[in-house]
Amino acid sequence: RKEVEQDPGPFNVPEGATVAFNCTYSNSASQSFFWYRQDCRKEPKLLMSVYSSGNEDGRFTAQLNRASQYISLLIRDSKLTDSATYHCVVLDNAGNMLTFGGGTRLMVKP
Amino acid sequence: NAGVTQTPKFRVLKTGQSMTLLCAQDMNHEYMYWYRQDPGMGLRLIHYSVGEGTTAKGEVPDGYNVSRLKKQNFLLGLESAAPSQTSVYFCASNTGTEIYGYTFGSGTRLTVV
């Protein structure tokens, strides 16, 4: 079983749509969780951290469910520029290593 | 402030050839990492270092060696390249104390023929 699992997509949505990505992780001792965004042929960049209480950054909302070992990302009012691959990322409990999920590809169409 | 710089950006190798990928950071970060990314997949950790003179294995270390002789540099070596090592290689660095501050380089595209 992979440590971090995501639906690879692609998710094809129209502009203005709301889209949700889910992720599960296997190590219950993991401490920190993130969503990274990666544009085509570019390096991944931090989109947002994920907290148990849920956190929001503009159109983006992230949620963590420790009991179910489940992480989500909600994007509201999708823009063309949101088209990218979104990686669910978990930091090991020693704080040394980021483990990436396989990424979920989002394509927002006019 | 260059951040994390990877050289070269592109390389084509023949099977059996060797090469070294260089990662340099100017942020005085303690931790440095080498990842590989295959098409349609996430990043997988090859090796990492938590300080000058230290290295440790990640998820997929076979076929690679690393060295961290200077704090600012982390070298990834392929002694005898194989087609299975065709990939995009990303270097990253982090302070070691701040969980949010991972900075990635722009990647090295390696093709082994």
Side-chain angles (χ1 to χ4, degrees):
Chain A
R1 180 186 174 188
K2 290 183 181 178
E3 285 192 49
V4 182
E5 295 205 61
Q6 301 178 244
D7 180 344
F11 285 60
N12 294 298
V13 302
E15 270 186 294
T18 295
V19 62
F21 305 141
N22 303 318
C23 164
T24 56
Y25 62 95
S26 60
N27 184 352
S28 60
S30 299
Q31 294 296 320
S32 303
F33 310 88
F34 310 92
W35 284 100
Y36 273 71
R37 170 189 169 134
Q38 186 176 25
D39 293 303
C40 188
R41 303 178 75 85
K42 298 286 189 181
E43 71 272 23
K45 294 184 178 178
L46 179 64
L47 176 67
M48 60 195 303
S49 303
V50 188
Y51 304 115
S52 297
S53 55
N55 49 298
E56 190 174 305
D57 183 1
R59 298 181 293 109
F60 298 83
T61 301
Q63 193 80 44
L64 166 65
N65 184 323
R66 286 189 182 272
S68 302
Q69 295 178 212
Y70 172 94
I71 303 163
S72 65
L73 176 68
L74 182 76
I75 305 175
R76 291 180 299 278
D77 188 23
S78 298
K79 311 291 184 190
L80 295 177
T81 51
D82 292 334
S83 297
T85 296
Y86 292 83
H87 296 278
C88 176
V89 183
V90 175
L91 182 65
D92 73 319
N93 50 322
N96 290 339
M97 297 188 293
L98 292 179
T99 298
F100 281 72
T104 298
R105 189 172 174 204
L106 171 66
M107 299 184 70
V108 181
K109 304 209 179 278
Chain B
N1 189 343
V4 177
T5 302
Q6 292 183 232
T7 53
K9 294 192 183 304
F10 304 93
R11 185 72 185 268
V12 178
L13 282 181
K14 292 183 179 179
T15 297
Q17 285 185 318
S18 63
M19 78 164 294
T20 300
L21 282 66
L22 171 64
C23 177
Q25 52 93 4
D26 61 2
M27 298 170 286
N28 201 34
H29 283 176
E30 287 293 335
Y31 289 20
M32 296 186 75
Y33 308 82
W34 275 108
Y35 287 88
R36 62 175 286 174
Q37 185 175 31
D38 299 311
M41 297 183 68
L43 280 69
R44 291 184 293 168
L45 184 64
I46 305 171
H47 286 279
Y48 66 100
S49 167
V50 298
E52 182 179 316
T54 74
T55 62
K57 294 180 179 180
E59 180 186 356
V60 288
D62 294 342
Y64 305 94
N65 56 75
V66 287
S67 64
R68 183 99 181 268
L69 298 179
K70 292 183 178 180
K71 185 177 183 178
Q72 63 267 35
N73 296 336
F74 195 29
L75 279 64
L76 178 71
L78 286 73
E79 290 186 349
S80 179
S84 61
Q85 294 177 304
T86 294
S87 191
V88 180
Y89 292 83
F90 287 102
C91 177
S93 71
N94 178 261
T95 60
T97 57
E98 180 188 344
I99 63 173
Y100 309 107
Y102 284 81
T103 303
F104 282 82
S106 59
T108 294
R109 294 185 175 276
L110 176 66
T111 302
V112 182
V113 298

